[in-house]
Amino acid sequence: SFDKVVVNLVKASEEAGTLEATLSDIKKNIQAENEFSDKVKSALTYPLFVFGVFVVVMGVMLFVVMPKISQVFSRLRVEIPLPTKILMWVSAFVIKNTLYVGIGSALFMGALYLFYTKKRRLLLSILAKLPVISMLYKKVDIVRFSRSLGLLLNSGIPIVNALELSIDVVTRRDLRNLLENSKKMVYAGKEFSSGLRAKKGVMPTLVIKLIELGESSGSLDKAMNDVTEYMD
């Protein structure tokens, strides 16, 4: 019911006697996560609507328009372009095998749903590699990571433990590997920001600068909150 971040926050606050303040922080964090999710969902509403319209129009084309056009073209002795031939063939195939196509589509959607529920992290990692979505996914991961790390550090949890818990929310493999290596560097007594510089292009430069500033001023938890606000 509760993720590792929340469990460890409550545990640390009980030991420190700051449970009330920590629960308040957790409440704010959950509200921020929900607002963030709502923003993403609202941003996806229009593309999903357009995709739905596309599916309906394609269905009308295949089942109603193309059969009539095919009859007209069959009477004319003209060279038909390849895209039109493909569309005519698909239309004829779908009409002749409507039942099988329907069952196949239902099975495919069911398999995709099961794969999403059982292997959600793997599916998200595949989506995170797509050209347009990859940059968005990176920002989402940075927001979730920085929000969790800031909350854990603010509750007095040591940075090594906080990093171990926060890395668990990251989906992208390249970002996850960078954070894992940065955690090892912190174990070795080096700064967290120096680990983030190890591989260029993974973590935004401004984010690294904010973290570096937070480390030098002894207010890394505040710096992570600033990163969250900026990337959000």
Side-chain angles (χ1 to χ4, degrees), residues 1-11 26 29-30 33 121 144 147-148 151-152 165-166 168-169:
S1 298
F2 297 94
D3 57 38
K4 293 178 182 178
V5 173
V6 173
V7 172
N8 281 271
L9 279 169
V10 172
K11 185 180 178 181
I26 291 170
N29 183 56
I30 291 170
E33 284 280 356
R121 186 178 287 277
R144 295 187 68 197
R147 183 177 285 130
S148 298
L151 193 61
L152 289 161
L165 293 165
S166 302
D168 205 42
V169 305

Side-chain angles (χ1 to χ4, degrees), residues 185-208:
M185 291 184 76
V186 172
Y187 266 119
K190 297 180 181 178
E191 290 185 337
F192 177 47
S193 56
S194 61
L196 298 177
R197 294 182 187 276
K199 195 172 182 181
K200 292 182 179 180
V202 179
M203 187 68 75
T205 306
L206 183 58
V207 172
I208 298 173

Side-chain angles (χ1 to χ4, degrees), residues 31-195:
Q31 286 175 337
E33 284 280 356
N34 289 338
E35 286 174 9
F36 185 73
S37 298
D38 289 341
K39 286 178 187 176
V40 174
K41 287 174 185 176
S42 63
L44 290 173
T45 302
Y46 180 69
L48 288 173
F49 172 74
V50 172
F51 180 75
V53 171
F54 166 76
V55 170
V56 172
V57 170
M58 183 57 71
V60 173
M61 284 287 293
L62 292 175
F63 284 98
V64 180
V65 179
M66 286 312 299
K68 294 179 180 178
I69 291 177
S70 298
Q71 291 176 6
V72 174
F73 278 133
S74 63
R75 295 169 190 162
L76 299 172
R77 294 180 180 179
V78 293
E79 183 64 28
I80 301 170
L82 182 61
T84 309
K85 285 181 180 178
I86 294 169
L87 197 58
M88 287 169 63
W89 181 85
V90 171
S91 175
F93 178 82
V94 170
I95 290 170
K96 287 179 183 177
N97 304 280
T98 306
L99 181 63
Y100 297 112
V101 170
I103 293 170
S105 299
L107 288 172
F108 175 75
M109 294 301 292
L112 192 64
Y113 176 75
L114 285 172
F115 185 72
Y116 175 75
T117 53
K118 300 291 184 182
K119 301 285 185 180
R120 185 178 178 181
R121 186 178 287 277
L122 177 62
L123 182 62
L124 290 175
S125 65
I126 293 168
L127 288 172
K129 293 177 183 176
L130 296 176
V132 180
I133 301 173
S134 61
M135 291 305 295
L136 176 64
Y137 251 105
K138 182 189 283 189
K139 291 177 181 178
V140 170
D141 272 346
I142 293 171
V143 167
R144 295 187 68 197
F145 168 77
S146 58
R147 183 177 285 130
S148 298
L149 183 59
L151 193 61
L152 289 161
L153 291 174
N154 192 47
S155 299
I157 293 175
I159 185 169
V160 174
N161 297 340
L163 281 171
E164 198 167 328
L165 293 165
S166 302
I167 291 170
D168 205 42
V169 305
V170 177
T171 306
R172 278 181 63 108
R173 185 171 292 179
D174 57 344
L175 187 60
R176 194 181 180 91
N177 290 339
L178 179 69
L179 293 170
E180 287 284 358
N181 291 331
S182 301
K183 184 185 73 175
K184 290 175 183 177
M185 291 184 76
V186 172
Y187 266 119
K190 297 180 181 178
E191 290 185 337
F192 177 47
S193 56
S194 61

